[in-house]
Protein backbone atom coordinates (compact mmCIF):
# COMPACT_ATOMS: atom_id res chain seq x y z
CA UNK A 1 0.00 0.00 0.00
CA UNK A 2 1.38 3.38 -1.00
CA UNK A 3 1.84 5.95 1.69
CA UNK A 4 -0.59 8.76 0.67
CA UNK A 5 0.83 12.23 0.37
CA UNK A 6 -0.67 14.72 2.80
CA UNK A 7 -1.18 15.03 6.50
CA UNK A 8 0.02 11.57 7.51
CA UNK A 9 1.07 8.11 6.36
CA UNK A 10 -0.68 4.78 6.20
CA UNK A 11 0.17 1.13 5.82
CA UNK A 12 -1.99 -1.73 4.57
CA UNK A 13 -3.67 -2.57 1.25
CA UNK A 14 -6.44 -1.22 -0.93
CA UNK A 15 -5.36 2.46 -0.79
CA UNK A 16 -6.47 4.73 -3.64
CA UNK A 17 -5.43 8.25 -4.54
CA UNK A 18 -6.80 10.91 -2.17
CA UNK A 19 -10.24 12.23 -3.10
CA UNK A 20 -12.08 15.45 -2.38
CA UNK A 21 -14.84 15.15 0.24
CA UNK A 22 -18.17 14.03 -1.16
CA UNK A 23 -21.67 14.17 0.37
CA UNK A 24 -22.53 11.25 2.59
CA UNK A 25 -22.11 9.81 6.04
CA UNK A 26 -19.19 10.65 8.22
CA UNK A 27 -18.55 8.95 11.49
CA UNK A 28 -16.52 11.29 13.61
CA UNK A 29 -14.51 10.50 16.69
CA UNK A 30 -12.11 12.87 18.37
CA UNK A 31 -8.96 11.03 19.29
CA UNK A 32 -6.65 12.55 21.86
CA UNK A 33 -3.18 11.05 21.72
CA UNK A 34 -0.60 11.80 24.38
CA UNK A 35 2.92 10.39 24.29
CA UNK A 36 3.27 7.31 26.49
CA UNK A 37 -0.33 7.66 27.64
CA UNK A 38 -3.43 5.52 27.21
CA UNK A 39 -5.55 6.41 24.19
CA UNK A 40 -8.58 8.53 25.15
CA UNK A 41 -11.66 8.94 22.96
CA UNK A 42 -13.17 12.41 23.27
CA UNK A 43 -16.53 13.58 21.95
CA UNK A 44 -16.67 17.02 20.36
CA UNK A 45 -20.20 17.63 21.62
CA UNK A 46 -19.35 16.68 25.19
CA UNK A 47 -15.61 16.46 26.02
CA UNK A 48 -14.49 13.40 27.98
CA UNK A 49 -17.75 11.59 27.15
CA UNK A 50 -18.29 8.77 24.63
CA UNK A 51 -19.67 10.01 21.31
CA UNK A 52 -22.74 8.41 19.79
CA UNK A 53 -21.63 6.34 16.84
CA UNK A 54 -23.16 6.32 13.38
CA UNK A 55 -25.51 3.34 12.79
CA UNK A 56 -23.48 2.56 9.67
CA UNK A 57 -19.84 3.18 10.64
CA UNK A 58 -18.41 2.34 14.05
CA UNK A 59 -14.83 3.58 14.49
CA UNK A 60 -12.34 2.43 17.09
CA UNK A 61 -8.79 3.70 17.56
CA UNK A 62 -5.89 2.04 19.33
CA UNK A 63 -2.11 2.26 19.52
CA UNK A 64 0.12 -0.09 17.52
CA UNK A 65 1.27 -2.15 15.85
CA UNK A 66 4.47 -0.11 16.05
CA UNK A 67 5.51 2.11 18.91
CA UNK A 68 4.78 5.21 16.83
CA UNK A 69 1.65 3.89 15.15
CA UNK A 70 -2.08 4.31 15.74
CA UNK A 71 -4.58 1.91 14.16
CA UNK A 72 -8.07 2.91 13.02
CA UNK A 73 -10.63 0.11 12.56
CA UNK A 74 -14.30 0.40 11.74
CA UNK A 75 -17.36 -1.61 10.81
CA UNK A 76 -20.25 -0.77 8.52
CA UNK A 77 -20.47 1.21 5.34
CA UNK A 78 -19.28 0.28 1.87
CA UNK A 79 -15.94 0.94 0.18
CA UNK A 80 -14.39 3.27 -0.60
CA UNK A 81 -13.60 4.92 2.74
CA UNK A 82 -12.08 8.39 3.07
CA UNK A 83 -9.90 8.88 6.15
CA UNK A 84 -9.35 12.38 7.55
CA UNK A 85 -7.16 13.72 10.35
CA UNK A 86 -6.76 17.23 11.74
CA UNK A 87 -5.62 18.98 14.90
CA UNK A 88 -8.59 21.33 14.44
CA UNK A 89 -12.00 19.62 14.82
CA UNK A 90 -13.67 22.22 12.61
CA UNK A 91 -11.24 21.40 9.78
CA UNK A 92 -11.80 17.64 9.70
CA UNK A 93 -13.46 16.63 6.42
CA UNK A 94 -11.69 19.39 4.48
CA UNK A 95 -9.81 18.33 1.36
CA UNK A 96 -6.45 19.32 2.82
CA UNK A 97 -6.94 17.04 5.86
CA UNK A 98 -7.54 13.88 3.78
CA UNK A 99 -5.02 11.14 4.62
CA UNK A 100 -6.16 8.87 1.79
CA UNK A 101 -8.81 6.44 0.54
CA UNK A 102 -8.94 2.71 1.24
CA UNK A 103 -11.20 -0.23 0.37
CA UNK A 104 -10.49 -2.07 3.62
CA UNK A 105 -11.98 -1.04 6.98
CA UNK A 106 -8.69 -0.21 8.68
CA UNK A 107 -5.92 2.38 8.55
CA UNK A 108 -2.52 2.66 10.22
CA UNK A 109 -1.28 6.17 10.85
CA UNK A 110 1.87 7.57 12.41
CA UNK A 111 0.74 8.82 15.82
CA UNK A 112 0.95 12.64 16.01
CA UNK A 113 2.45 14.12 19.19
CA UNK A 114 -0.58 16.29 20.00
CA UNK A 115 -4.36 15.98 20.13
CA UNK A 116 -5.85 15.01 16.77
CA UNK A 117 -9.30 14.27 15.40
CA UNK A 118 -10.11 11.47 12.96
CA UNK A 119 -13.09 11.03 10.70
CA UNK A 120 -14.00 8.15 8.35
CA UNK A 121 -16.33 9.12 5.52
CA UNK A 122 -18.34 6.85 3.24
CA UNK A 123 -20.95 8.08 0.72
CA UNK A 124 -23.23 5.07 1.20
CA UNK A 125 -23.55 5.36 4.97
CA UNK A 126 -26.37 7.14 6.76
CA UNK A 127 -25.49 10.72 7.65
CA UNK A 128 -25.19 11.64 11.33
CA UNK A 129 -27.31 14.55 12.47
CA UNK A 130 -25.60 17.95 12.33
CA UNK A 131 -25.30 19.44 15.81
CA UNK A 132 -24.21 22.89 16.92
CA UNK A 133 -20.57 22.32 17.85
CA UNK A 134 -18.42 24.19 15.30
CA UNK A 135 -17.80 20.98 13.35
CA UNK A 136 -18.99 19.73 9.96
CA UNK A 137 -20.64 16.58 11.39
CA UNK A 138 -22.27 15.39 8.17
CA UNK A 139 -19.29 16.28 5.96
CA UNK A 140 -21.32 18.41 3.52
CA UNK A 141 -18.80 21.26 3.54
CA UNK A 142 -20.91 23.52 5.81
CA UNK A 143 -20.36 23.83 9.55
CA UNK A 144 -23.40 23.75 11.88
CA UNK A 145 -25.96 23.92 9.03
CA UNK A 146 -29.47 22.90 10.16
CA UNK A 147 -28.21 21.97 13.64
CA UNK A 148 -30.72 19.75 15.42
CA UNK A 149 -29.80 20.31 19.09
CA UNK A 150 -30.77 24.00 19.50
CA UNK A 151 -34.17 24.61 21.10
CA UNK A 152 -36.28 26.90 18.89
CA UNK A 153 -38.96 26.98 21.61
CA UNK A 154 -36.40 28.78 23.77
CA UNK A 155 -35.46 31.09 20.87
CA UNK A 156 -32.08 29.45 20.50
CA UNK A 157 -29.93 29.64 17.39
CA UNK A 158 -26.55 28.14 16.56
CA UNK A 159 -24.11 31.04 16.94
CA UNK A 160 -20.35 30.56 16.99
CA UNK A 161 -20.56 26.80 17.50
CA UNK A 162 -22.96 26.96 20.47
CA UNK A 163 -26.70 27.20 21.00
CA UNK A 164 -27.34 30.78 22.12
CA UNK A 165 -30.34 32.98 22.75
CA UNK A 166 -31.03 34.99 19.60
CA UNK A 167 -33.24 37.57 21.33
CA UNK A 168 -32.09 41.11 21.99
CA UNK A 169 -31.28 42.74 25.32
CA UNK A 170 -34.83 44.06 25.80
CA UNK A 171 -36.63 41.03 24.36
CA UNK A 172 -38.23 37.89 25.79
CA UNK A 173 -38.78 34.55 24.08
CA UNK A 174 -42.53 34.00 23.82
CA UNK A 175 -43.83 30.88 22.06
CA UNK A 176 -40.57 30.52 20.21
CA UNK A 177 -40.34 34.11 19.00
CA UNK A 178 -38.52 37.14 20.39
CA UNK A 179 -40.84 39.89 21.61
CA UNK A 180 -39.85 43.27 23.02
CA UNK A 181 -40.47 44.16 26.65
CA UNK A 182 -40.54 47.86 25.82
CA UNK A 183 -43.87 49.62 25.64
CA UNK A 184 -45.08 52.44 23.40
CA UNK A 185 -42.59 55.29 23.04
CA UNK A 186 -39.84 53.28 24.73
CA UNK A 187 -36.43 52.36 23.41
CA UNK A 188 -33.87 49.81 24.58
CA UNK A 189 -30.75 51.36 26.09
CA UNK A 190 -28.14 49.09 27.69
CA UNK A 191 -30.71 46.36 28.20
CA UNK A 192 -33.26 48.65 29.87
CA UNK A 193 -36.46 50.01 28.36
CA UNK A 194 -36.56 53.77 28.65
CA UNK A 195 -38.35 56.78 27.18
CA UNK A 196 -37.59 58.25 23.79
CA UNK A 197 -34.00 59.47 23.65
CA UNK A 198 -33.95 63.26 23.56
CA UNK A 199 -30.23 63.07 22.83
CA UNK A 200 -31.17 61.45 19.51
CA UNK A 201 -33.77 64.16 18.82
CA UNK A 202 -36.61 61.71 19.49
CA UNK A 203 -40.15 62.48 20.60
CA UNK A 204 -43.21 60.31 21.16
CA UNK A 205 -45.61 60.53 18.24
CA UNK A 206 -48.63 58.23 18.00
CA UNK A 207 -47.01 55.80 20.44
CA UNK A 208 -43.76 55.60 18.45
CA UNK A 209 -40.41 57.29 19.03
CA UNK A 210 -39.79 59.46 16.00
CA UNK A 211 -37.16 62.01 15.08
CA UNK A 212 -38.06 65.63 15.55
CA UNK A 213 -35.72 66.64 12.69
CA UNK A 214 -37.26 67.39 9.30
CA UNK A 215 -35.43 65.57 6.53
CA UNK A 216 -37.25 67.68 3.94
CA UNK A 217 -35.37 70.64 5.42
CA UNK A 218 -32.07 68.74 5.27
CA UNK A 219 -32.00 68.40 9.05
CA UNK A 220 -30.25 65.77 11.16
CA UNK A 221 -29.74 65.32 14.88
CA UNK A 222 -26.61 67.12 16.03
CA UNK A 223 -24.90 67.67 19.33
CA UNK A 224 -26.99 67.98 22.51
CA UNK A 225 -30.02 66.52 20.72
CA UNK A 226 -30.53 69.59 18.55
CA UNK A 227 -31.64 69.40 14.93
CA UNK A 228 -29.15 71.06 12.61
CA UNK A 229 -28.85 71.53 8.87
CA UNK A 230 -26.67 69.06 6.99
CA UNK A 231 -25.97 71.63 4.26
CA UNK A 232 -22.76 73.67 4.09
CA UNK A 233 -22.88 77.44 4.58
CA UNK A 234 -22.70 77.91 0.80
CA UNK A 235 -25.55 75.46 0.11
CA UNK A 236 -29.31 75.73 0.38
CA UNK A 237 -31.85 72.98 0.96
CA UNK A 238 -34.22 72.20 -1.91
CA UNK A 239 -36.61 69.31 -1.47
CA UNK A 240 -34.39 67.66 1.12
CA UNK A 241 -31.26 67.99 -1.06
CA UNK A 242 -28.39 70.36 -0.40
CA UNK A 243 -27.86 72.49 -3.52
CA UNK A 244 -25.01 74.85 -4.44
CA UNK A 245 -26.09 78.41 -3.50
CA UNK A 246 -23.09 80.29 -4.92
CA UNK A 247 -23.49 82.83 -7.77
CA UNK A 248 -22.76 80.91 -10.95
CA UNK A 249 -22.89 84.12 -12.98
CA UNK A 250 -19.74 85.14 -11.07
CA UNK A 251 -18.19 81.72 -11.84
CA UNK A 252 -18.42 80.72 -8.19
CA UNK A 253 -19.16 77.26 -6.75
CA UNK A 254 -19.37 75.84 -3.24
CA UNK A 255 -15.99 74.35 -2.41
CA UNK A 256 -15.03 73.17 1.11
CA UNK A 257 -17.88 75.15 2.62
CA UNK A 258 -17.15 78.43 0.83
CA UNK A 259 -17.96 80.07 -2.53
CA UNK A 260 -14.80 79.98 -4.66
CA UNK A 261 -14.04 80.68 -8.36
CA UNK A 262 -14.08 77.60 -10.54
CA UNK A 263 -12.31 79.17 -13.54
CA UNK A 264 -8.64 78.41 -14.13
CA UNK A 265 -6.77 81.27 -12.42
CA UNK A 266 -3.96 81.26 -15.02
CA UNK A 267 -5.55 81.08 -18.45
CA UNK A 268 -9.29 81.69 -17.95
CA UNK A 269 -11.47 84.65 -17.05
CA UNK A 270 -15.10 84.86 -15.94
CA UNK A 271 -17.58 86.33 -18.45
CA UNK A 272 -21.33 86.36 -18.77
CA UNK A 273 -20.99 83.18 -20.77
CA UNK A 274 -18.94 81.50 -18.05
CA UNK A 275 -15.23 80.71 -17.96
CA UNK A 276 -13.51 81.92 -21.15
CA UNK A 277 -9.98 81.03 -22.18
CA UNK A 278 -7.49 83.89 -22.39
CA UNK A 279 -5.24 81.87 -24.67
CA UNK A 280 -4.53 82.92 -28.26
CA UNK A 281 -6.20 81.69 -31.48
CA UNK A 282 -6.25 77.92 -31.96
CA UNK A 283 -5.46 77.38 -28.28
CA UNK A 284 -7.31 76.13 -25.23
CA UNK A 285 -6.65 76.33 -21.50
CA UNK A 286 -5.80 72.98 -19.87
CA UNK A 287 -4.59 72.72 -16.26
CA UNK A 288 -3.24 76.27 -16.12
CA UNK A 289 -1.49 76.25 -19.50
CA UNK A 290 -2.42 77.15 -23.07
CA UNK A 291 -2.24 74.23 -25.51
CA UNK A 292 -2.68 74.23 -29.29
CA UNK A 293 -5.90 72.83 -30.66
CA UNK A 294 -4.22 71.96 -33.95
CA UNK A 295 -3.10 68.39 -34.56
CA UNK A 296 0.47 68.19 -35.88
CA UNK A 297 -0.05 64.56 -36.79
CA UNK A 298 -2.62 65.77 -39.32
CA UNK A 299 -0.25 68.46 -40.59
CA UNK A 300 -2.40 71.20 -39.07
CA UNK A 301 -1.31 74.78 -38.40
CA UNK A 302 -3.15 77.78 -37.04
CA UNK A 303 -4.13 79.77 -40.13
CA UNK A 304 -6.33 82.88 -39.84
CA UNK A 305 -7.27 81.87 -36.27
CA UNK A 306 -8.35 78.38 -37.30
CA UNK A 307 -6.62 75.00 -37.42
CA UNK A 308 -6.10 74.21 -41.13
CA UNK A 309 -4.05 71.70 -43.08
CA UNK A 310 -0.77 73.14 -44.31
CA UNK A 311 -0.43 70.60 -47.12
CA UNK A 312 -1.02 71.55 -50.75
CA UNK A 313 -3.86 69.96 -52.76
CA UNK A 314 -1.33 67.65 -54.42
CA UNK A 315 0.10 66.50 -51.07
CA UNK A 316 -0.95 64.13 -48.32
CA UNK A 317 -0.05 64.21 -44.63
CA UNK A 318 2.00 61.20 -43.53
CA UNK A 319 3.42 61.09 -40.02
CA UNK A 320 2.85 64.82 -39.65
CA UNK A 321 4.76 65.62 -42.88
CA UNK A 322 3.27 66.80 -46.17
CA UNK A 323 4.37 64.46 -48.94
CA UNK A 324 3.57 64.29 -52.67
CA UNK A 325 0.41 62.35 -53.34
CA UNK A 326 1.02 58.91 -54.82
CA UNK A 327 -2.40 58.73 -56.47
CA UNK A 328 -4.54 60.96 -58.54
CA UNK A 329 -3.57 63.45 -61.25
CA UNK A 330 -1.69 66.70 -60.92
CA UNK A 331 -3.66 69.70 -62.18
CA UNK A 332 -2.07 71.40 -65.27
Amino acid sequence: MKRPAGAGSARGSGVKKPLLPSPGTVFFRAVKLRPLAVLILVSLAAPLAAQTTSPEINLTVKRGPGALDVTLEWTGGQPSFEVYRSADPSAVCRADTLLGVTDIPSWIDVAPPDTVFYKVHNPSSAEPAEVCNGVDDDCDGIIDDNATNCNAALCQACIGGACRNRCGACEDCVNGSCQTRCGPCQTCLNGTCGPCDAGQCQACTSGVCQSTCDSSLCQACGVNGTCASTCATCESCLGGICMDACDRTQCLSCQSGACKPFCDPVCQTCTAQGCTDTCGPCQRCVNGACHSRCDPNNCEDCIDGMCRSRCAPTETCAGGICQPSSTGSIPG
Side-chain angles (χ1 to χ4, degrees), residues 49-190:
Q51 180 174 348
T52 303
T53 61
S54 163
E56 295 296 330
I57 297 179
N58 186 1
L59 173 67
T60 58
V61 184
K62 61 184 179 181
R63 289 194 179 276
L68 300 178
D69 293 335
V70 58
T71 298
L72 284 69
E73 295 178 337
W74 58 91
T75 60
Q78 298 293 327
S80 295
F81 302 101
E82 300 170 4
V83 182
Y84 297 87
R85 184 193 72 193
S86 175
D88 180 4
S90 65
V92 181
C93 207
R94 261 182 8 200
D96 58 350
T97 67
L98 180 66
L99 295 178
V101 180
T102 179
D103 289 336
I104 60 176
S106 65
W107 188 272
I108 300 176
D109 188 30
V110 177
D114 301 317
T115 301
V116 293
F117 301 85
Y118 286 101
K119 182 178 288 188
V120 176
H121 174 73
N122 173 253
S124 65
S125 301
E127 295 183 355
E130 184 82 21
V131 296
C132 183
N133 56 6
V135 177
D136 182 11
D137 298 289
D138 56 9
C139 203
D140 64 352
I142 307 174
I143 295 175
D144 291 343
D145 60 315
N146 302 316
T148 58
N149 60 325
C150 295
N151 193 340
L154 298 178
C155 298
Q156 288 184 344
C158 185
I159 303 172
C163 294
R164 306 177 192 276
N165 193 313
R166 67 173 185 268
C167 296
C170 296
E171 293 179 327
D172 293 324
C173 183
V174 179
N175 298 325
S177 63
C178 298
Q179 298 184 14
T180 181
R181 296 192 299 271
C182 299
C185 287
Q186 286 188 324
T187 58
C188 182
L189 182 62
N190 298 325

Side-chain angles (χ1 to χ4, degrees), residues 119-328:
K119 182 178 288 188
V120 176
H121 174 73
N122 173 253
S124 65
S125 301
E127 295 183 355
E130 184 82 21
V131 296
C132 183
N133 56 6
V135 177
D136 182 11
D137 298 289
D138 56 9
C139 203
D140 64 352
I142 307 174
I143 295 175
D144 291 343
D145 60 315
N146 302 316
T148 58
N149 60 325
C150 295
N151 193 340
L154 298 178
C155 298
Q156 288 184 344
C158 185
I159 303 172
C163 294
R164 306 177 192 276
N165 193 313
R166 67 173 185 268
C167 296
C170 296
E171 293 179 327
D172 293 324
C173 183
V174 179
N175 298 325
S177 63
C178 298
Q179 298 184 14
T180 181
R181 296 192 299 271
C182 299
C185 287
Q186 286 188 324
T187 58
C188 182
L189 182 62
N190 298 325
T192 303
C193 295
C196 298
D197 189 353
Q200 298 296 320
C201 303
Q202 292 179 344
C204 182
T205 304
S206 301
V208 180
C209 292
Q210 296 184 359
S211 175
T212 57
C213 301
D214 191 345
S215 59
S216 65
L217 299 178
C218 304
Q219 291 181 343
C221 191
V223 295
N224 301 323
T226 303
C227 293
S229 175
T230 59
C231 298
T233 55
C234 52
E235 292 179 325
S236 59
C237 183
L238 181 61
I241 301 175
C242 295
M243 306 292 290
D244 194 321
C246 298
D247 189 352
R248 303 289 292 187
T249 63
Q250 298 298 318
C251 301
L252 299 175
S253 64
C254 187
Q255 304 173 46
S256 302
C259 292
K260 299 179 181 179
F262 54 80
C263 295
D264 192 297
V266 177
C267 50
Q268 284 185 332
T269 185
C270 183
T271 67
Q273 289 74 37
C275 296
T276 302
D277 290 2
T278 57
C279 299
C282 306
Q283 293 182 326
R284 64 176 179 270
C285 179
V286 179
N287 296 327
C290 293
H291 297 268
S292 176
R293 296 176 183 270
C294 301
D295 186 359
N297 294 322
N298 288 328
C299 300
E300 289 183 343
D301 282 332
C302 186
I303 303 173
D304 298 330
M306 298 181 64
C307 291
R308 302 178 187 274
S309 175
R310 63 175 180 267
C311 296
T314 58
E315 296 176 325
T316 58
C317 183
I321 300 174
C322 295
Q323 299 179 358
S325 177
S326 59
T327 60

